[in-house]
């Protein structure tokens, strides 16, 4: 049964023996190989590969002035109406408000009910550039896409937030993007990404082996493997800080090393986030 999970998109196998024998490493290598094979010999949307070359090679990219002023202004207006009215409108399971000592994290999924109430947000969910981005980067035409509005208010900058530690989301290529509704300055804790950390390396291979063993011995270890906190300052010097203006689309392969930035108390980030989490082993079957 545990062996069947080998071919799943589960972040890490829950078996000391399998992880010690290097099965997590094998999943990492196979995931990379399958993607490389598909991308080089049977690429989808050849024309778009140039368009997304930067993210496919370095692992991140951004596009300022993403929407026309007119579309962005309509979107922004609907964003604030939707996120502020979401409780009154009884969005039910679509809304999530996580409150802890440090953050108020409010998310709202875009669904069919948006079609009449918030037509620009509904239209944006199916934006052609974003579709192309996921098709080309995932190398799949058929994938599950998630999309939600996000408001992150920082109430205390001293509390533990695991997303502020450098981490790899998972062992295979996986993609996200955010359209920022408001500018993100340094004090607002912009997203940080280490360029080229999405690429295959022996260092990462060994890291996957070591962390998978730790995970199988201690369930408190996060399955999105974290790097040692002692390296945080060093990595901060090498990583790219995504300080952006409003209406900027930030794209990232979060299989690479990244973290949430350090935001000051009282600051808020507003964004629309899209992401996929596909099974890397189905790449050849699911076109
Ligand atoms: Fe992450």
């Amino acid at each position: 049964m545990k062996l069947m999970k080998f071919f799943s998109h589960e972040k890490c196998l829950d078996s000391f023996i399998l992880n010690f024998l290097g099965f997590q490493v094998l999943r990492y290598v196979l995931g990379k190989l399958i993607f490389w094979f598909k991308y080089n010999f049977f690429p989808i949307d050849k024309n778009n590969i140039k368009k997304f070359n930067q993210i496919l090679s370095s692992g991140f990219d951004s596009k300022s002035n993403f929407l026309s002023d007119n579309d962005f202004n309509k979107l922004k207006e609907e964003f604030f109406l939707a996120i502020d009215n979401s409780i009154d409108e009884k969005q039910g399971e679509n809304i999530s408000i996580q409150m802890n000592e440090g953050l108020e994290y409010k998310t709202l999924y875009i669904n069919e009910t948006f079609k009449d109430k918030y037509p620009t947000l509904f239209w944006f969910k199916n934006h052609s550039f974003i579709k192309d981005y996921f098709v080309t980067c995932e190398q799949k035409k058929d994938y599950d896409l998630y999309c939600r509005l996000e408001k992150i208010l920082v109430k205390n900058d001293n509390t533990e937030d695991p997303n502020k530690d450098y981490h790899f989301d998972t062992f295979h290529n996986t993609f996200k993007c955010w359209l920022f509704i408001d500018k993100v300055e340094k004090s607002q804790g912009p997203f940080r990404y280490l360029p080229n950390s999405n690429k295959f390396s022996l260092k990462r291979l060994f890291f996957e082996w070591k962390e998978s063993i730790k995970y199988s011995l201690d369930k408190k270890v996060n399955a999105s493997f974290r790097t040692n906190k002692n390296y945080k300052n060093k990595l901060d010097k090498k990583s790219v800080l995504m300080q952006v203006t409003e209406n900027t689309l930030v794209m990232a392969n979060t299989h690479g090393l990244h973290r949430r930035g350090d935001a000051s108390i009282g600051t808020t980030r507003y964004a629309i986030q899209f992401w996929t989490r596909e099974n890397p082993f189905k790449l050849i079957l699911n076109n």
Side-chain angles (χ1 to χ4, degrees), residues 80 98 180 217 239 253 267 274:
F80 286 112
Q98 296 166 32
F180 286 95
L217 291 173
S239 62
N253 177 355
T267 57
F274 295 79

Side-chain angles (χ1 to χ4, degrees), residues 34-180:
I34 292 170
F35 187 88
W36 176 85
F37 184 77
K38 183 76 197 292
Y39 175 71
N40 284 289
F41 298 107
F42 303 100
I44 285 181
D45 291 346
K46 269 187 190 168
N47 298 337
N48 282 330
I49 282 187
K50 259 192 187 159
K51 193 159 79 177
F52 299 107
N53 189 40
Q54 153 88 4
I55 174 145
L56 285 163
S57 57
S58 310
F60 73 101
D61 200 1
S62 66
K63 200 171 162 49
S64 52
N65 297 315
F66 182 66
L67 296 175
S68 69
D69 286 352
N70 191 30
D71 286 342
F72 180 72
N73 289 337
K74 278 194 270 178
L75 187 89
K76 188 171 180 174
E77 194 181 326
E78 288 183 16
F79 178 96
F80 286 112
L81 275 174
I83 204 116
D84 291 339
N85 296 337
S86 50
I87 297 173
D88 296 341
E89 288 175 354
K90 297 188 175 53
Q91 286 284 348
E93 68 268 21
N94 293 321
I95 188 165
S96 152
I97 304 172
Q98 296 166 32
M99 305 273 254
N100 61 33
E101 282 175 54
L103 290 180
E104 182 186 312
Y105 194 174
K106 192 170 180 181
T107 60
L108 179 63
Y109 284 82
I110 296 180
N111 62 13
E112 283 296 312
T113 67
F114 276 57
K115 205 171 185 173
D116 298 325
K117 253 186 277 178
Y118 305 115
T120 316
L121 287 170
F122 191 78
W123 158 80
F124 182 62
K125 192 189 171 194
N126 299 301
H127 195 282
S128 59
F129 182 93
I130 291 174
K131 270 190 180 168
D132 287 348
Y133 163 60
F134 283 104
V135 166
T136 306
C137 291
E138 287 285 355
Q139 286 292 302
K140 276 182 173 182
K141 284 184 182 156
D142 181 19
Y143 55 86
D144 291 326
L145 183 63
Y146 305 92
C147 174
R148 69 185 187 194
L149 318 185
E150 294 183 338
K151 175 188 176 185
I152 307 176
L153 167 65
V154 178
K155 297 193 298 182
N156 184 342
D157 55 3
N158 274 326
T159 48
E160 193 72 10
D161 176 359
N163 287 315
K164 280 164 60 173
D165 295 331
Y166 280 99
H167 63 279
F168 303 99
D169 277 0
T170 192
F171 68 95
H172 58 89
N173 288 333
T174 188
F175 297 88
K176 289 183 178 172
C177 69
W178 299 260
L179 180 78
F180 286 95

Side-chain angles (χ1 to χ4, degrees), residues 223-235:
S224 291
F225 300 148
R226 263 66 187 157
T227 58
N228 191 315
K229 283 182 201 253
N230 297 335
Y231 297 130
K232 202 167 184 172
N233 286 343
K234 199 175 154 192
L235 290 169

